[in-house]
Each structure stands twice: as C-alpha cells, then as structure tokens.
Amino acid sequence: MKNKRRKLNKKNLCILLTILILFIIFIICIIKLIFWAIDNSKTNNIIKTVSEKVQVLEIDTDDAQIVENEDEQNSAYFEYIKMKLIEVDLNNLKTFNSDTVGWIKVEGTNINYPFVQTSDNSYYLTKSFDKKNNDAGWIFLDYRNNINNLDKNTIIYGHGRLNKTMFGSLKDTLNSSWQSNSNNYIIRLSTQNMNSIWQIFSIYKIPTTSDYLKISFTSDEEYQNFIDLIKGRTMFNFNTNVNINDKILTLSTCYNDDEKMVVHAKLIKYNNK
C-alpha cells in the first residue's frame, strides 16, 4: 500500500511540475507578445513621424546617367531606365537622427523608409530610428560601405517583422503575385549625393550564411564568381544580365530563425546631386 502511495505521489508531483513548467512557458510567451506589440506600436509611431517630416518625390532629370549594358536582353530594362528617380530631402531627418544616410523604396512592398549607418552592424538591430531600445530595430547600411562612393556590393539590412514593417514585406518577392508584375522589379534609393534606380536580378531564401555579404573583391575573376553565385541562387528567373562592370545592391533580412531572405539588384540609372 505504501509503495502504491509513493508511486501516486511521484506521479502527482510529475504532473504538478509539468503543469508548472507549461504555465511558466505560457507566461513567458504572453510577456514576449506584449513586448512585441509594444515595439510594433513604437515602430509605427516612428514611421508616422518620419512620413510627416519628408516628402518622397518622383523626379525627371536631364542629367540622369544610364548604366549601359550591351548584353542586356531583357526589354524591361529599357522601360526601367525611363522610370522616374525618387528624391528625398534628408536634412530634416538628419536633425532627428544624424546617422541618416539615405532613403529606400522597394516596389511592390511596404519598404519605404530612411536608412541609417553607424560604426557597426549590431547597434540598429535593437535600436529604432529615434535611437531608443526596440527589438524591431531599423533599416541600416553595412558599416563597411561608403554610400557616397559605391562599392561593388552595397548591403542594407533590416529585421523581417511579422507585421511587415522594416524588411518584413521583403518576403513578398517570393510570391507569384509580386513576381507576375514586372514593375515590381525595381529598388529606388535617394542619398545626400545621388538618386538611383536598381534592377532586381536575384531573390532567394537560404540557410544562414555570410558568403553574399562581401563588399569588395581582389580581382574581376573573384567578382564574376560572386555574381555567378548569387545569380545562380535566384528562385525566380528575371532574365537579367549582370557583369563585372555592374554595381550591386543587396538587401538582407531573416526569413525565419535558420534562414535568410536576400534580394540583389544592379544599378541601372542615377543622377548626382
């Protein structure tokens, strides 16, 4: 009888411990959801404040430079170079955040934000545009890049938020509805010294790696190998030529805990301010 009671007591204790553990996990999840919602609310307020401070203007300019590509077979390229540039006066934003270096707009997504740059690639993972703590972070340029003198590969990062703020809507590029509209294959930037249009040529998700995050190359051969690597990964054929004379823009975010979502585009049109 005593052995039976002991077994029952042990069984009851195990059940109680299991319930307690599940309750603690539940409380932790609730707390995380609360903080997630608070961060989202703060981010939305910042986005609203930013949108009130600036106008994103579409402009025509006679001095726009076209990046010629003799091998270009995609007729869409010739339509894209007719598109208007965007121009954003960053001076107001710099008074709000002196780290502001540009504005990015990705067609067919929610991405229409200023981007910043600081001395590392970790600060804006947990800081919003107002430099206050926020796990939503902000859109930021790789600290190694020079936005005024473009490297071979210019890299911009942002969190892939579930509510589609920051780079959360970058995943939409994998949807057939996005891919079916060729007008979406464009990224536009405005910086202090230049407005530019970039044509997307590769989109993919991949287990976390850093091999697409190189910004400079020791030889044309190394750069060509890099182009072949990132173009070969695309999950949609844009039928777009890229060669060693092209400048590349890379957008990087998390697809999930184990994978990255990546978009690559090439510079096709710009004007210097």
Side-chain angles (χ1 to χ4, degrees):
M1 197 72 173
K2 286 183 180 179
N3 288 337
K4 208 169 186 181
R5 283 179 183 170
R6 280 181 192 150
K7 285 181 181 177
L8 283 172
N9 286 336
K10 285 182 180 179
K11 186 177 180 181
N12 290 339
L13 181 61
C14 287
I15 291 171
L16 285 172
L17 284 174
T18 301
I19 292 171
L20 180 61
I21 291 169
L22 290 174
F23 179 73
I24 292 171
I25 292 172
F26 174 75
I27 294 298
I28 290 172
C29 289
I30 292 296
I31 291 171
K32 284 186 175 182
L33 282 173
I34 291 171
F35 279 112
W36 183 82
I38 291 171
D39 284 341
N40 284 345
S41 178
K42 289 178 180 178
T43 299
N44 288 332
N45 288 335
I46 290 290
I47 291 170
K48 183 180 178 183
T49 299
V50 165
S51 66
E52 291 171 350
K53 280 184 171 290
V54 297
Q55 282 186 301
V56 181
L57 303 174
E58 291 194 344
I59 61 166
D60 278 320
T61 176
D62 293 333
D63 62 347
Q65 304 294 310
I66 306 301
V67 180
E68 299 288 349
N69 193 330
E70 294 178 359
D71 298 323
E72 188 59 68
Q73 299 298 317
N74 187 348
S75 60
Y77 162 83
F78 299 102
E79 296 301 317
Y80 297 148
I81 59 177
K82 298 174 188 175
M83 287 185 172
K84 293 181 179 180
L85 300 157
I86 61 168
E87 181 162 80
V88 178
D89 184 353
L90 301 177
N91 292 322
N92 282 340
L93 291 174
K94 283 181 175 290
T95 63
F96 192 78
N97 184 334
S98 59
D99 293 338
T100 305
V101 292
W103 190 281
I104 180 170
K105 180 176 175 59
V106 181
E107 299 301 323
T109 74
N110 297 338
I111 300 167
N112 192 22
Y113 304 118
F115 59 93
V116 292
Q117 184 182 39
T118 188
S119 58
D120 59 56
N121 285 342
S122 59
Y123 182 83
Y124 281 102
L125 291 175
T126 55
K127 294 288 193 298
S128 191
F129 191 65
D130 58 2
K131 296 189 176 183
K132 293 181 180 178
N133 290 335
N134 190 324
D135 284 342
W138 200 257
I139 306 302
F140 64 94
L141 179 71
D142 194 299
Y143 76 95
R144 300 168 296 168
N145 282 128
N146 183 346
I147 198 63
N148 297 318
N149 185 21
L150 294 175
D151 296 289
K152 286 289 191 182
N153 187 24
T154 297
I155 308 165
I156 300 178
Y157 306 90
H159 283 311
R161 300 290 285 179
L162 291 176
N163 66 347
K164 294 197 172 183
T165 56
M166 301 300 96
F167 273 1
S169 61
L170 203 61
K171 299 173 186 177
D172 291 349
T173 62
L174 297 178
N175 298 336
S176 59
S177 57
W178 185 93
Q179 295 167 3
S180 63
N181 184 355
S182 61
N183 288 331
N184 288 337
Y185 308 165
I186 287 297
I187 301 170
R188 291 187 277 186
L189 299 185
S190 180
T191 67
Q192 200 71 37
N193 298 320
M194 185 174 74
N195 301 317
S196 55
I197 293 179
W198 305 71
Q199 181 181 357
I200 295 173
F201 65 85
S202 182
I203 54 173
Y204 55 88
K205 60 177 180 176
I206 190 171
T208 299
T209 179
S210 60
D211 61 3
Y212 63 92
L213 300 177
K214 298 178 70 172
I215 67 166
S216 58
F217 304 85
T218 57
S219 66
D220 289 346
E221 181 181 7
E222 184 184 4
Y223 189 42
Q224 184 62 61
N225 290 337
F226 178 77
I227 291 169
D228 294 341
L229 173 72
I230 61 175
K231 191 176 178 186
R233 285 176 175 167
T234 188
M235 299 173 73
F236 178 77
N237 184 11
F238 291 92
N239 192 28
T240 300
N241 181 69
V242 187
N243 62 47
I244 58 174
N245 297 314
D246 285 314
K247 296 290 181 72
I248 292 172
L249 174 66
T250 294
L251 310 185
S252 178
T253 189
C254 290
Y255 186 83
N256 53 40
D257 290 343
D258 302 312
E259 294 176 296
K260 297 297 184 185
M261 171 74 221
V262 186
V263 172
H264 299 287
K266 67 173 186 176
L267 179 64
I268 61 171
K269 180 179 178 179
Y270 65 94
N271 81 298
N272 295 315
K273 297 182 181 179

